[in-house]
Amino acid sequence: QVANMYAVANSLYNVLMKRNTVTVAFVIAGALAGERFIDYTFDGIWSSKNQGKLYQHLEGTVIGGPKEEE
């Protein structure tokens, strides 16, 4: 079992860490994907906690309602 874990770790090293360009690309791609995930997650949490208080929820009701014709 330890030998199997060593083989997996060795394979990951050969794929991701052996060349500097691949490592840098992996880190940048991970940062971008992580930022996207964090952004969408916390935007969803913020929106659900502030339901009815944000502009997007009030648009067309209190703020920017239908224009009255003169």
Side-chain angles (χ1 to χ4, degrees):
Q1 193 174 30
V2 173
N4 191 19
M5 288 175 50
Y6 176 74
V8 170
N10 193 27
S11 296
L12 286 174
Y13 171 78
N14 285 333
V15 171
L16 297 176
M17 302 292 279
K18 200 165 189 176
R19 294 182 55 181
N20 189 37
T21 54
V22 176
T23 302
V24 170
F26 180 72
V27 168
I28 290 173
L32 291 174
E35 185 272 334
R36 256 323 146 153
F37 175 75
I38 298 278
D39 185 45
Y40 285 132
T41 301
F42 282 101
D43 276 350
I45 292 170
W46 182 266
S47 182
S48 69
K49 293 290 184 184
N50 292 298
Q51 187 70 32
K53 299 175 187 174
L54 302 176
Y55 179 78
Q56 63 190 6
H57 301 141
L58 298 175
E59 187 177 19
T61 58
V62 178
I63 299 172
K67 292 184 179 180
E68 297 177 13
E69 302 219 7
E70 295 179 19

